[in-house]
Amino acid sequence: MMGTQLADSLGRLQARIYWLHDAEKFDELTHTASKIYQLLGHPESLSNRVGSFISEAYRISDDAQIARFSGDSEKELKYYSEVQLQLAEVVKLLNLPIEIAEYQVQWWMLSRHKKIIAALNYILKQHKNSKLSVLGKVKLTYYSFQIGLGHNQRKLAKCEKYAIRYWDLLLQSKEAAYPYIG
């Protein structure tokens, strides 16, 4: 029931990105993100560029978190603007709507600020153009939240389970381009 081999592979790779980010293994994160886009049918060269931008976005988001913890909200916002520039390159390469980069940055930041309802709203917005029903989009948002929760709880199996469900549902939409950017 829960999915295709592709959804399984994509979900495991997505979960791996979070653990590589935590370990600050950004070269491996680049490769893992690239593999996701190759599995989605993108050429290796484009996938490698996308992976590089995503990895850099994760690295800069750590700088934003450090600025936040030091109490420098202005510097934090500056870093998140840089993250958005990295992700804007990703959406351009993938021919996705530009606002997806903004939505991704917003939910990353709001999640770190523990503003969960607001973060969920941006995850939902990120999937608004999907061909899925409203219920399908809500499920994608729920799965995304559970992926993050599994990551925060350091439960890889939970993170993978919901990432696989996320991809299983998202792949059912048969989009021309999927709104996942890291």
Side-chain angles (χ1 to χ4, degrees), residues 11-127:
R12 292 179 191 285
L13 289 168
Q14 181 180 351
R16 180 169 164 71
I17 285 175
Y18 296 119
W19 267 256
L20 291 170
H21 173 230
D22 290 346
E24 298 183 5
K25 294 183 177 181
F26 293 105
D27 288 340
E28 287 181 55
L29 194 155
T30 297
H31 176 72
T32 302
S34 173
K35 184 69 177 161
I36 287 173
Y37 293 98
Q38 288 176 51
L39 287 173
L40 290 172
H42 296 285
E44 184 177 355
S45 61
L46 180 127
S47 297
N48 288 342
R49 290 176 58 206
V50 166
S52 181
F53 284 119
I54 289 172
S55 181
E56 185 64 6
Y58 272 101
R59 191 195 62 71
I60 297 168
S61 75
D62 288 346
D63 294 337
Q65 183 78 329
I66 291 166
R68 175 178 173 239
F69 287 146
S70 71
D72 192 340
S73 59
E74 187 175 312
K75 195 172 190 179
E76 177 192 15
L77 292 175
K78 177 187 162 289
Y79 282 125
Y80 278 122
S81 291
E82 290 178 28
V83 170
Q84 188 168 332
L85 291 174
Q86 296 296 311
L87 295 178
E89 292 299 321
V90 170
V91 298
K92 285 179 200 170
L93 288 169
L94 297 173
N95 294 315
L96 292 168
I98 191 68
E99 63 268 14
I100 287 178
E102 176 192 344
Y103 299 153
Q104 179 96 13
V105 171
Q106 288 297 319
W107 76 253
W108 277 6
M109 182 176 69
L110 291 164
S111 294
R112 285 181 164 178
H113 283 257
K114 307 291 186 229
K115 296 181 179 179
I116 303 306
I117 301 299
L120 290 171
N121 183 48
Y122 278 102
I123 295 170
L124 187 60
K125 283 182 177 185
Q126 188 169 342
H127 295 90

